[in-house]
Amino acid sequence: MTSIWELANPQLRDLAVYEPGKPIEETARELGVEPGAIIKLASNENPLGPSPKAIQAMRTAAENAHLYPDGGGFYLCKAVAAKLGLAPENIILGNGSNEVLEFLGHAFLNLGDDVITSQYAFIVYKLIATSFGARTIETPSPDYHQDLEAMLAAITPKTRLIFIPNPNNPTGTLISQRKIDSFMSRVPENIIVVFDEAYFEFLDNPPETLHYVRDNRNIVVLRTFSKIHGLAGLRIGYGIARPDLIDVLRKTRQPFNANSVAQAGALAALADDAHQGETKSVVNAGRVYLEEQFAEMEIQFVPGAANFVMVNVGDGAAVFKKLLVRKIIVRPLKGYKLPEWVRISVGTMEQNRKCIEALKEILPKHRQV
């Protein structure tokens, strides 16, 4: 019998499957406990959950779940555009901002093309490139920071896309406005630059990239409702670009890709500044606490700008398993070629303290005699 791999696209054979953070429900089943006993600090989710206004909007929208959603996301696109000082024609909705990455692959990548991203950058960029038969060029990340100069030097005649997450996941590091502006002044006009800003709302003084959209540059900015808005389970995000670039991306979009419940929740969440502010305060305090604790424990960590901290625990996979037994889920980073590290999302202060207490039990230097 012919192997199915002889029929499949050859680039898929060696394509790694993205492994998300371990689910609460699966962990609860394995440990024989209720899901409420599990602390999940693995997927950079909002520790406060969604805005109460978003929950109410979603409940109302569910009453019309028998109807197809607004295929163009008219009201949500209009609201996002108004908040950003742009036009609805600058916005495209995705089933999570990850889907907009797929739009970019469909629109601009062909077999043998090149994409550029940084070492330790969000692994999905490489998965997208590989699935379209493109080569990923990964530039070095000195001290876990992205090097835009190295990205410029890595450009080839086949380069089509450059992916720049800011802040980066999983390192949490941030690129300054000065470095972005210097980079954008020299990048060739025929290359699409993608700034992935999933954690934008957690920043105190975020770099400004939207003016490059207003200047009609070949740039796409990605944002999401999964993080500060607490709507990760709905899969709703968006891309921002000049209108003709958005028109190209729309050619690749499936009908009704953003469901009606997600649109309603996102629209309400976008308007709830109080919930966003409360989330940011909780995350800021939690991140400071975690980093202070790691410093006191003399554990290497990368100071972050988002809602997580990357920390060197010696053996990420082993510590992940030991924390799991203690009902705490973190993210081991072997898939990023960082086997000594884990990424710990900022939770509520109670969750953060329990995580630190567990780490002190696990790590030999900090065990109580």
Side-chain angles (χ1 to χ4, degrees):
M1 182 178 177
T2 301
S3 168
I4 194 64
W5 287 108
E6 294 181 31
L7 306 176
N9 292 336
Q11 67 267 23
L12 298 181
R13 182 181 292 272
D14 298 319
L15 180 65
V17 176
Y18 177 75
E19 294 184 11
K22 193 174 179 70
I24 288 176
E25 292 77 9
E26 179 182 342
T27 304
R29 286 195 300 270
E30 291 175 355
L31 298 178
V33 299
E34 291 298 317
I38 305 297
I39 296 174
K40 186 183 179 189
L41 304 176
S43 299
N44 305 339
E45 294 149 338
N46 187 324
L48 302 183
S51 154
K53 294 178 181 178
I55 292 173
Q56 183 56 53
M58 290 185 284
R59 285 175 175 153
T60 301
E63 295 176 2
N64 290 314
H66 59 295
L67 302 176
Y68 283 103
D70 176 355
F74 176 83
Y75 292 107
L76 182 55
C77 285
K78 183 178 179 181
V80 168
K83 188 150 192 167
L84 300 178
L86 294 167
E89 292 76 22
N90 291 114
I91 311 298
I92 187 168
L93 301 181
N95 186 241
S97 57
N98 271 21
E99 190 185 28
V100 185
L101 294 173
E102 290 191 36
F103 299 162
L104 287 160
H106 283 294
F108 297 109
L109 292 181
N110 291 301
L111 191 67
D113 285 342
D114 288 341
V115 305
I116 296 173
T117 192
S118 181
Q119 181 188 27
Y120 312 133
F122 188 36
I123 202 167
V124 169
Y125 310 140
K126 186 173 185 178
L127 298 183
I128 290 288
T130 303
S131 68
F132 287 98
R135 177 179 67 149
T136 301
I137 300 172
E138 293 180 294
T139 57
S141 290
D143 296 324
Y144 308 102
H145 285 73
Q146 298 178 89
D147 186 344
L148 298 189
E149 296 297 319
M151 290 186 181
L152 287 170
I155 291 172
T156 74
K158 292 185 176 181
T159 301
R160 298 291 176 264
L161 298 170
I162 299 178
F163 292 108
I164 304 174
N166 201 35
N168 181 42
N169 172 23
T171 63
T173 54
L174 182 69
I175 305 170
S176 70
Q177 185 76 60
R178 178 181 59 81
K179 290 182 177 179
I180 290 171
D181 291 341
S182 176
F183 170 84
M184 289 299 297
S185 71
R186 290 174 289 158
V187 69
E189 291 185 359
N190 64 324
I191 294 173
I192 310 292
V193 179
V194 184
F195 283 97
D196 189 344
E197 298 181 348
Y199 303 95
F200 177 86
E201 293 89 352
F202 291 108
L203 303 177
D204 291 324
N205 295 296
E208 165 61 39
T209 53
L210 294 183
H211 70 277
Y212 291 111
V213 174
R214 298 184 182 97
D215 291 343
N216 289 317
R217 295 291 302 276
N218 281 333
I219 177 177
V220 178
V221 178
L222 303 181
R223 304 248 176 109
T224 183
F225 288 94
S226 294
K227 305 304 178 184
I228 202 165
H229 298 291
L231 300 178
L234 294 184
R235 309 309 304 126
I236 182 79
Y238 54 99
I240 311 159
R242 67 179 204 239
D244 59 338
L245 204 163
I246 292 293
D247 285 342
V248 172
L249 297 183
R250 284 201 181 105
K251 297 280 188 179
T252 74
R253 183 180 65 87
Q254 292 294 315
F256 311 117
N257 64 316
N259 71 73
S260 54
V261 175
Q263 290 186 45
L267 188 60
L270 189 70
D272 194 344
D273 293 331
H275 185 74
Q276 294 170 49
E278 184 182 0
T279 298
K280 188 173 184 301
S281 296
V282 167
V283 166
N284 284 347
R287 185 177 60 244
V288 168
Y289 168 79
L290 289 175
E291 292 184 349
E292 287 177 346
Q293 291 297 308
F294 296 144
E296 288 181 15
M297 295 167 69
E298 298 181 348
I299 300 175
Q300 181 186 6
F301 67 93
V302 178
N307 66 334
F308 56 87
V309 183
M310 191 175 85
V311 56
N312 188 326
V313 293
D315 185 337
V319 168
F320 165 75
K321 291 177 181 177
K322 290 176 181 179
L323 285 173
L324 210 57
V325 173
R326 291 164 172 80
K327 307 182 188 69
I328 299 171
I329 312 172
V330 298
R331 186 66 180 271
L333 297 175
K334 183 179 179 181
Y336 286 89
K337 299 182 181 178
L338 293 165
E340 298 179 345
W341 297 75
V342 297
R343 188 191 67 198
I344 301 177
S345 304
V346 177
T348 64
M349 195 57 76
E350 180 183 3
Q351 292 172 333
N352 299 332
R353 291 194 178 102
K354 287 182 178 179
C355 182
I356 292 297
E357 290 169 4
L359 283 172
K360 288 180 177 178
E361 292 176 4
I362 290 167
L363 299 177
K365 183 178 177 180
H366 304 281
R367 287 179 186 152
Q368 298 295 320
V369 178

